[in-house]
Amino acid sequence: MSIGTRSNCKKQAFLGFFFAATAMSKAVPAPKSFQHNAFTLRSNTEALPYRDASLPVDERVDDLIQRMTLEEKAGQLFQSILNLPANGSSALANTTVLAVEGKFQTHFNLGGTVNSPRVAAQWYNNLQQSALNTRLGIPVTMSSDPRHSYTDALGSQIAATAFSQWPESLGLAALRDAELVHKFANIARQEYLAIGLRSALHPQVDLATEPRWARIGGTMGEDAELTAELVVAYIEGFTGDEFGNQSVTTVTKHFPGSGPVQDGEDSHFTYGKNATYPGNNFEQHLIPFKAAIAAGARQIMPYYSRPIGTKYEEVASGMNKGIITDLLRHELGFEGIVVTDWGLITDVVIRGQDMPARAWGAENLTEIERAEKILNAGADQFGGEQRFDLILQLVGNNTISEDRIDLSVRRLLREKFLLGLFENPFVDVDAADKLVGTAEFVAAGKDTQRKSFTLLTNNDTVLPLKHDKNVKFYIEGLNKTLLAQREITVVAMPEQADFALLRLQAPYEPRPGGFEANYHAGSLEYNATERARQAAIYAAVPTIVDIYLDRPAAIPEIAEQAKALMANYGAAGEAFLDVVFGFDGYKPQGKLPFDLPRSMEAVEASKEDVPFDTENPVFRFGHGLSYNDC
């Protein structure tokens, strides 16, 4: 759908979903190339050179581009979200058909959860048939935010549901095991392929140097060298043996590193426009990206933040020529695709919340001027937009040359050819049902959840607990039915218990707004009321605390008062109980992927771009006990 004005855009309900969820040894083979006989090209293009798989890819790209109209080229430059039908149907919405067959769009991001791999695969096949109905039959490339994490973080990650369920990437980083990261990525690649996902909008390699930032949960922590090591394994796992028809192309983000956001405020929002470098530490944030490029990174996504106090123009990185062309392409030698983060041009409404375009530093430009600036910066694709009309105007009035459009279209089409989408755009629906969430894949994810727990304190070696039906437990954050199945006795009050088991969410200050509320930001300390509530429990009964760290927490009082303190990065209640009781020999093996600061005062005094610089942290990066240490 073409959007003509900002006011009209706000009326387009389907655009309101973007950014929202509505994120091996003896591995089961991914489905091999599959062509369903029921799906056919509408037009007679089989004999054209770009359809000839025996020709070099660049020849095929050249042949296809010279056949394309400007409208067909413009369709390649946009990527927006499509949601699976909520009613379990595999039918395409009218707006989807219009985008594909009317506007020639061929890049989409799958929103929402996948509850049925079979339905998702059939829906994807229907989408590819819609693409084949067009004049040139250019296949769709479907992308996804992370969707293998146990925890659902709306806007950047999607609940795993039918897929194998793993800790978030922080949990992988906590285990310091590149081979495990490769194993995860290889499994995720196979599950993606099974339902037609050919592009991963990850890995996220921002460094968690500003503890307050709300998107740390998707990173690999605070250390540049560890992140650089793990991103190589991540990309290689999604690539497979070589980049080709069994690969998932990866989008490494958010260049040039969005960790040092000013005061920890995320740049989705007007109060978080800036990335700041008071420690003059810009270069350290490039280390993971350099490793990713050397490992064959296919695509890179710049963030919204505008770099403050550097040599670069103070505009959002996605429209910043100094960042994209001078730094990324010329200095670092990146030759792949640059896709902007979502919504740099058009104001929208997301989950009932007005969201201005994240054109920070260029807010006063018109929409067409923003599009021009993004193209001149060197970006290839507009994320979260469907402004085909702007491309037609820019070329039509000779502001942007068609040769410049061809440069980006060439990169985007070449990726499709290399992925084998022109030869085999469809997936095997039966195979999808069998492959996604196999017992082996699920077991690997659950095993990693258990191992990634980080044991911070274990006073009097209280852990592992001995299972005894006569021992009484007070619980918070655990399902009583689960404990009953384990024959664990639960009581209503701490004073009645022999032990307490508390599973807590890391502190944050709730924000308003349908979209903004999903971002855990603000103070890293619990407020006085919550601290007092917890202290009463710790005083009444020996307490084992497990805190979910989607970002660091300043919790010295828990370290002092709890009998034992653990951290997780996305793990089920079953995994927690297995570790606490040492069932099947499980024990915590994780090491902190970042420092845990002592106070908000220490955080506020630190520099956003410098790692490990809060004064006297309670626990340092790399801390983590195990039962053998206690």
Side-chain angles (χ1 to χ4, degrees):
M1 178 172 289
S2 178
I3 309 301
T5 65
R6 295 188 193 186
S7 59
N8 284 341
C9 173
K10 291 187 177 185
K11 297 177 183 178
Q12 307 304 317
F14 71 96
L15 280 180
F17 289 109
F18 75 80
F19 257 133
T22 316
M24 168 141 210
S25 62
K26 297 179 68 175
V28 177
K32 299 300 181 184
S33 56
F34 175 78
Q35 180 70 54
H36 197 296
N37 292 332
F39 298 96
T40 57
L41 284 164
R42 185 186 72 176
S43 56
N44 185 22
T45 62
E46 290 91 338
L48 296 177
Y50 75 88
R51 289 281 173 194
D52 186 350
S54 69
L55 293 178
V57 165
D58 288 336
E59 278 189 38
R60 300 175 72 187
V61 173
D62 289 342
D63 180 71
L64 177 55
I65 284 182
Q66 60 91 19
R67 298 178 188 279
M68 296 173 72
T69 65
L70 180 59
E71 288 79 4
E72 288 165 334
K73 292 174 182 178
Q76 309 307 309
L77 300 185
F78 295 88
Q79 182 175 171
S80 58
I81 280 185
L82 288 181
N83 287 283
L84 288 168
N87 62 2
S89 167
S90 61
L92 301 182
N94 290 336
T95 52
T96 300
V97 175
L98 177 60
V100 176
E101 299 186 28
K103 299 300 182 181
F104 310 109
Q105 190 173 354
T106 70
H107 295 84
F108 296 98
N109 172 215
L110 183 64
T113 58
V114 173
N115 296 311
S116 167
R118 171 175 287 274
V119 170
Q122 185 61 62
W123 176 86
Y124 168 81
N125 282 348
N126 291 338
L127 182 66
Q128 289 291 19
Q129 180 58 61
S130 182
L132 292 186
N133 288 342
T134 61
R135 185 178 71 92
L136 296 172
I138 299 172
V140 164
T141 305
M142 181 63 69
S143 71
S144 177
D145 285 297
R147 57 175 65 245
H148 278 81
S149 299
Y150 174 77
T151 300
D152 183 6
L154 291 179
S156 60
Q157 302 202 43
I158 303 168
T161 53
F163 293 89
S164 55
Q165 299 186 10
W166 300 68
E168 292 173 346
S169 54
L170 283 174
L172 299 176
L175 288 168
R176 309 289 201 272
D177 186 345
E179 289 186 8
L180 176 63
V181 171
H182 187 281
K183 178 179 180 179
F184 157 74
N186 183 39
I187 289 174
R189 175 183 64 84
Q190 294 176 70
E191 292 189 311
Y192 271 28
L193 285 171
I195 66 165
L197 297 174
R198 302 306 304 274
S199 177
L201 297 179
H202 46 94
Q204 183 184 342
V205 298
D206 310 298
L207 301 181
T209 55
E210 167 46 77
R212 291 169 288 185
W213 187 37
R215 296 195 66 179
I216 287 175
T219 74
M220 297 178 186
E222 192 168 359
D223 185 76
E225 299 300 334
L226 176 62
T227 299
E229 177 188 2
L230 298 183
V231 73
V232 171
Y234 199 106
I235 290 173
E236 290 176 348
F238 271 96
T239 300
D241 294 336
E242 62 180 357
F243 192 77
N245 63 9
Q246 293 300 303
S247 299
V248 171
T249 182
T250 51
V251 182
T252 305
K253 61 187 186 184
H254 303 89
F255 193 78
S258 61
V261 287
Q262 186 171 354
D263 298 326
E265 297 292 3
D266 187 73
S267 53
H268 276 91
F269 309 108
T270 55
Y271 50 74
K273 299 178 180 180
N274 298 335
T276 186
Y277 302 90
N280 297 314
N281 206 34
F282 183 92
E283 290 294 324
Q284 186 161 25
H285 292 265
L286 298 179
I287 290 173
F289 291 97
K290 292 178 179 178
I293 292 169
R298 307 295 308 178
Q299 304 187 46
I300 285 181
M301 178 183 287
Y303 207 41
Y304 306 118
S305 308
R306 56 182 188 178
I308 301 299
T310 72
K311 65 181 180 180
Y312 301 106
E313 184 184 6
E314 293 183 353
V315 296
S317 292
M319 54 175 54
N320 194 316
K321 186 175 182 180
I323 293 292
I324 296 174
T325 295
D326 297 341
L327 175 58
L328 178 59
R329 294 207 186 277
H330 293 167
E331 292 185 35
L332 301 187
F334 179 67
E335 298 179 347
I337 296 165
V338 174
V339 53
T340 75
D341 213 330
W342 264 224
L344 291 184
I345 299 175
T346 313
D347 298 347
V348 294
V349 175
I350 305 177
R351 293 180 170 264
Q353 180 174 354
D354 287 335
M355 294 289 291
R358 269 72 72 202
W360 308 140
E363 295 95 331
N364 293 331
L365 296 183
T366 64
E367 292 172 338
I368 196 166
E369 288 170 339
R370 293 172 188 172
E372 176 190 358
K373 189 170 183 65
I374 291 165
L375 289 170
N376 285 336
D380 297 304
Q381 192 172 65
F382 301 85
E385 299 279 359
Q386 293 183 306
R387 299 304 307 273
F388 317 102
D389 57 310
L390 299 180
I391 304 303
L392 302 182
Q393 291 177 50
L394 286 168
V395 177
N397 63 21
N398 296 316
T399 302
I400 296 289
S401 71
E402 191 164 353
D403 285 344
R404 168 63 189 90
I405 301 302
D406 287 352
L407 180 66
S408 290
V409 172
R410 182 178 305 278
R411 292 188 182 114
L412 293 160
L413 290 177
R414 190 171 190 275
E415 199 79 349
K416 290 181 187 288
F417 279 111
L418 291 173
L419 289 169
L421 284 166
F422 278 85
E423 285 69 59
N424 295 289
F426 302 106
V427 296
D428 186 331
V429 173
D430 292 331
D433 241 0
K434 295 174 183 176
L435 184 91
V436 175
T438 64
E440 182 181 1
F441 291 175
V442 168
K446 289 182 176 180
D447 181 68
T448 304
Q449 286 183 40
R450 286 154 175 77
K451 290 177 178 177
S452 65
F453 278 89
T454 301
L455 182 61
L456 301 174
T457 67
N458 191 16
N459 295 311
D460 301 325
T461 61
V462 65
L463 297 179
L465 296 173
K466 182 180 179 181
H467 184 257
D468 185 339
K469 289 187 288 186
N470 296 317
V471 175
K472 301 179 181 65
F473 289 87
Y474 171 76
I475 64 166
E476 291 183 6
L478 282 162
N479 187 297
K480 291 182 179 180
T481 301
L482 173 62
L483 274 74
Q485 292 170 347
R486 300 275 188 122
E487 296 185 310
I488 296 172
T489 303
V490 176
V491 295
M493 302 293 292
E495 295 78 8
Q496 301 169 329
D498 300 300
F499 291 98
L501 301 175
L502 304 188
R503 299 199 79 197
L504 304 176
Q505 162 72 55
Y508 67 96
E509 294 175 296
R511 298 283 172 90
F515 182 65
E516 189 176 357
N518 295 310
Y519 285 72
H520 292 179
S523 178
L524 303 177
E525 300 176 343
Y526 290 112
N527 61 37
T529 300
E530 176 61 14
R531 288 199 303 270
R533 188 193 74 81
Q534 291 181 23
I537 298 172
Y538 306 145
V541 61
T543 304
I544 291 87
V545 174
D546 175 38
I547 185 166
Y548 166 57
L549 294 179
D550 55 350
R551 60 181 189 148
I555 48 172
E557 73 282 359
I558 300 180
E560 294 168 3
Q561 298 170 25
K563 196 69 171 176
L565 173 59
M566 300 171 61
N568 80 83
Y569 315 94
E574 289 181 344
F576 168 70
L577 292 175
D578 284 349
V579 172
V580 164
F581 288 96
F583 291 147
D584 296 326
Y586 277 111
K587 58 186 178 182
Q589 299 181 33
K591 307 293 183 183
L592 278 177
F594 37 55
D595 283 356
L596 294 189
R598 187 160 295 277
S599 66
M600 278 302 293
E601 183 180 5
V603 170
E604 291 163 356
S606 67
K607 297 179 174 66
E608 287 94 335
D609 59 325
V610 178
F612 315 122
D613 73 328
T614 63
E615 183 178 357
N616 190 25
V618 180
F619 299 106
R620 293 194 176 276
F621 169 85
H623 177 76
L625 307 173
S626 193
Y627 295 154
N628 295 338
D629 303 326
C630 306

